Amino acid sequence: MHDTTVDRVTNGHGTVASHTLKQLKKLDAAYAQCAEIARRRARNFYYGLRLTPEPRRSAIYSIYAWMRNADDEADAAGSSAERRARLARHRAVTGAILKGQHPAPDA
């Protein structure tokens, strides 16, 4: 961790020292998953960002993963109404997260 707290770069709160290694690894796992999404879906973007220092690089991978998910929802098969409903769910989950809430994974 680059900071003494996890607040700035994760959805967690408190000092790094107040978290167990297992909890910190879970936060790191979320960033690793976002990086993997970028690596699989946008290879040049992924490798170009390898030159960006942390924690900025992980933050950008996270934004990419969020945008990729929204784009996939918009492009998925189904009627216009179904795609709008999926995007509305994506928007609602995003709003909840930005308010500090933790929606269920299937929300």
Side-chain angles (χ1 to χ4, degrees):
M1 287 289 193
H2 302 278
D3 297 356
T4 58
T5 70
V6 298
D7 298 68
R8 186 175 67 88
V9 295
T10 72
N11 63 349
H13 300 287
T15 64
V16 172
S18 69
H19 290 76
T20 65
L21 181 59
K22 183 177 180 179
Q23 290 168 325
L24 292 172
K25 285 182 177 183
K26 187 173 182 179
L27 294 174
D28 287 343
Y31 280 126
Q33 182 179 10
C34 291
E36 179 60 18
I37 290 168
R39 189 190 67 75
R40 280 186 289 118
R41 303 293 298 271
R43 283 181 105 43
N44 289 341
F45 180 75
Y46 170 81
Y47 287 110
L49 278 177
R50 297 292 302 154
L51 301 172
T52 303
E54 287 291 357
R56 183 171 286 151
R57 176 182 25 192
S58 288
I60 295 171
Y61 286 151
S62 298
I63 293 167
Y64 174 82
W66 175 80
M67 292 171 58
R68 177 84 262 151
N69 182 261
D71 188 60
D72 288 348
E73 294 291 1
D75 292 344
S79 69
S80 292
E82 290 169 327
R83 288 193 304 267
R84 280 193 299 274
R86 285 193 299 268
L87 286 171
R89 280 191 302 275
H90 188 269
R91 186 179 313 122
V93 167
T94 299
I97 291 168
L98 291 175
K99 290 177 185 174
Q101 301 166 354
H102 301 277
D106 61 344

